[in-house]
């Protein structure tokens, strides 16, 4: 009768070490995900509010106003080509012949119709 090189107990100890390593890795993944989730929640809580009105500026040197947008308009570009303005500034821009966005129609919301 020959002696096996590894006993059943040796194999079970090996399996235990492998599973402890797997558990440690899974716990690190959980910690990493909890940290990322916390960072996302913090960023969302500290994000500045969306302005009610936006003025889109041209790409060129002059940065002339091109369109007035409602703050929720999906067609408005991202900063720096757009800036938030007050309701009065948006009305003034429309009065100075800056075009209203044809998608969100801020002139209707502001009561400034041609």
């Amino acid at each position: 009768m020959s002696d096996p090189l590894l006993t059943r107990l040796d194999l079970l100890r090996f399996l235990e070490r492998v599973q402890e390593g797997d558990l440690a890795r899974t716990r690190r993944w959980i910690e990493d995900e909890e940290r990322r989730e916390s960072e996302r929640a913090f960023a969302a809580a500290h994000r500045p509010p969306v302005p009610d009105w936006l003025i889109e500026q041209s790409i060129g040197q002059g940065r002339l106003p091109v369109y007035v947008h409602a703050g929720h308009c999906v067609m408005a570009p991202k900063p720096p080509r757009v800036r938030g303005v007050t309701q009065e500034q948006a009305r003034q821009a429309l009065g100075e012949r800056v075009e209203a966005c044809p998608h969100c129609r801020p002139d209707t919301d502001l009561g400034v119709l041609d």
Side-chain angles (χ1 to χ4, degrees):
M1 191 188 263
S2 63
D3 286 337
L5 296 176
L6 295 174
T7 66
R8 181 170 167 76
L9 184 58
D10 291 333
L11 294 173
L12 289 172
R13 294 279 186 219
F14 172 75
L15 177 60
E16 180 182 39
R17 285 192 307 276
V18 169
Q19 289 177 334
E20 284 173 348
D22 288 345
L23 181 58
R25 184 180 58 237
T26 301
R27 287 181 174 153
R28 283 193 307 273
W29 289 345
I30 289 170
E31 289 172 6
D32 291 344
E33 189 58 31
E34 287 173 340
R35 179 185 43 77
R36 283 189 293 271
E37 200 171 280
S38 173
E39 290 169 355
R40 280 190 294 268
F42 180 84
H46 292 85
R47 186 173 296 130
V50 175
D52 291 331
W53 309 102
L54 304 167
I55 292 186
E56 178 180 345
Q57 298 170 319
S58 65
I59 297 174
Q61 282 284 16
R63 291 279 189 203
L64 300 173
V66 178
Y67 284 118
V68 176
H69 295 273
H72 59 81
C73 182
V74 296
M75 298 305 291
K78 302 293 180 213
R81 286 206 43 224
V82 69
R83 61 184 171 87
V85 294
T86 64
Q87 184 175 13
E88 187 53 42
Q89 290 170 319
R91 275 197 180 111
Q92 182 180 356
L94 290 169
E96 293 172 358
R97 296 299 194 205
V98 176
E99 290 187 46
C101 170
H103 298 281
C104 63
R105 301 302 308 179
D107 50 347
T108 303
D109 293 339
L110 290 167
V112 180
L113 301 173
D114 290 332

